[in-house]
Amino acid sequence: DVESDQCLIKLTHKTDPNVSDVSDNFFSIVPTFNEIPATMLNIPIKWTLSQNYPNPFNPTTTICYALPEKSHVTLTIYNIAGQVVNVLENKTKEAGYYSVQWDVPQGGIGSGVYIYRIQAGNFQQVRKCLLIK
């Protein structure tokens, strides 16, 4: 369901001033695995790392984040022992809203709790996710 999608972004656009239905003044974009250029969106006002969805997951999950300014972004997945499992992002990004998909290869890693961490400029945050096979 698109409405329950955690990465749902509402964008305002100009409409006919005679339109009275407020819902006609909005349209939605659900980001996929590609970046959405900040020029298409309102720039976020704060750094955000959202909870992955679905969670628990098997074998794919999506992680969304927001950058209020251009930054070098590193998004890393760790196992519970603190070992790097995967680096999903390691590049400079413009301010905006982004999503990235983590595809766990068949037989690659086992079920369990994993930690994902974003580092962007001076911002860093961690969250947990659960892989169930």
Side-chain angles (χ1 to χ4, degrees):
D1 177 35
V2 173
E3 292 302 318
S4 65
D5 194 336
Q6 292 183 18
C7 286
L8 183 65
I9 300 166
K10 297 280 189 180
L11 302 173
T12 57
H13 67 93
K14 295 188 178 192
T15 59
D16 185 336
N18 297 322
V19 174
S20 59
D21 184 0
V22 174
S23 66
D24 288 341
N25 292 325
F26 296 93
F27 63 96
S28 300
I29 291 181
V30 178
T32 60
F33 322 121
N34 299 319
E35 32 189 278
I36 298 175
T39 55
M40 290 178 57
L41 304 172
N42 296 326
I43 302 298
I45 59 171
K46 65 180 187 173
W47 306 90
T48 306
L49 176 63
S50 298
Q51 184 63 49
N52 66 299
Y53 69 93
N55 189 36
F57 71 97
N58 179 24
T60 302
T61 191
T62 302
I63 300 169
C64 299
Y65 61 94
L67 307 173
E69 60 188 52
K70 182 177 181 177
S71 311
H72 185 85
V73 176
T74 306
L75 181 59
T76 309
I77 309 290
Y78 299 90
N79 64 19
I80 202 69
Q83 299 165 320
V84 173
V85 172
N86 200 339
V87 177
L88 301 178
E89 298 275 44
N90 188 13
K91 57 184 144 185
T92 300
K93 302 276 206 156
E94 295 294 329
Y97 296 92
Y98 297 91
S99 68
V100 63
Q101 188 169 6
W102 180 28
D103 293 313
V104 177
Q106 198 71 311
I109 60 173
S111 296
V113 175
Y114 291 87
I115 308 296
Y116 57 99
R117 176 181 180 264
I118 191 169
Q119 172 75 45
N122 292 326
F123 173 75
Q124 61 180 330
Q125 187 173 5
V126 297
R127 291 192 180 266
K128 293 186 285 187
C129 59
L130 181 59
L131 171 63
I132 298 179
K133 289 190 173 185

